[in-house]
Amino acid sequence: MLKKISVFFERFILVEEETVDPQHALNLAIAAILIEMGRIDNQFDESERAKLNTILNQQYGISDDEISELTSLAEEELSDAVDYYQFTSLINQNFGRTEKVAMIEQLWNIAYSDGKIDSHEEHFLRKIADLLFVPHSEFIKAKLRIVKD
């Protein structure tokens, strides 16, 4: 993803094998993608921030301090040259289809938290869904579940 977020992420996965918490590394990969969803349209408003924090705290156990640091790092750099492979590959290794679809739904939830879906948000979501091998039909169903509520 962004260079500084990658360095932050690597601090948690590139330490001695016996001290790595694989679940925490996975949660941070998820957090990085969810945070990028919030800021992808360059308008990371309070509704998106609140939805993001709720999902990261309740679903993935990411601490407020880690959320704050990751969010700050993501907002520092607004580069279009982004690589999500290191994050999505970890998710692919650990998530089944149901969990991946749930994550896509969470991304839609963040994107739609301000009441609209920007074209940048939809493009990002399509890219992540493709990297996670989520079928297009599931991608659309997830969107409709969020937009209808």
Side-chain angles (χ1 to χ4, degrees):
M1 185 188 272
L2 304 168
K3 193 183 306 179
K4 291 180 182 180
I5 291 178
S6 294
V7 170
F8 175 84
F9 181 71
E10 288 169 2
R11 283 193 325 214
F12 290 94
I13 62 169
L14 296 179
V15 294
E16 293 179 29
E17 204 56 41
E18 62 272 2
T19 63
V20 173
D21 178 357
Q23 186 62 48
H24 191 65
L26 174 62
N27 289 349
L28 289 174
I30 294 163
I33 290 173
L34 293 172
I35 289 167
E36 183 70 0
M37 179 77 256
R39 59 157 296 279
I40 199 74
D41 64 352
N42 297 323
Q43 297 177 0
F44 198 16
D45 65 29
E46 287 306 312
S47 61
E48 289 173 323
R49 226 177 265 279
K51 183 63 70 177
L52 173 72
N53 288 351
T54 299
I55 290 170
L56 291 177
N57 282 141
Q58 294 177 356
Q59 299 292 321
Y60 300 105
I62 304 293
S63 73
D64 290 336
D65 289 341
E66 288 171 322
I67 292 170
S68 178
E69 186 174 352
L70 278 169
T71 303
S72 295
L73 291 172
E75 290 176 335
E76 282 180 23
E77 290 187 35
L78 296 174
S79 170
D80 290 335
V82 181
D83 177 17
Y84 303 104
Y85 179 77
Q86 70 181 18
F87 304 112
T88 57
S89 65
L90 187 58
I91 293 166
N92 279 325
Q93 292 169 18
N94 291 280
F95 274 14
R97 182 177 178 166
T98 303
E99 296 159 313
K100 291 176 187 179
V101 170
M103 185 175 171
I104 294 301
E105 191 168 320
Q106 292 164 353
L107 288 165
W108 279 120
N109 207 339
I110 293 168
Y112 195 65
S113 64
D114 59 0
K116 61 186 181 341
I117 296 173
D118 179 89
S119 62
H120 291 82
E121 292 170 327
E122 186 153 357
H123 175 76
F124 176 74
L125 253 156
R126 284 183 191 274
K127 183 188 305 186
I128 297 302
D130 286 345
L131 289 169
L132 295 177
F133 307 107
V134 172
H136 185 71
S137 62
E138 294 294 334
F139 170 82
I140 295 300
K141 288 177 189 175
K143 178 182 180 179
L144 293 175
R145 283 191 295 271
I146 297 303
V147 173
K148 287 181 180 178
D149 289 339

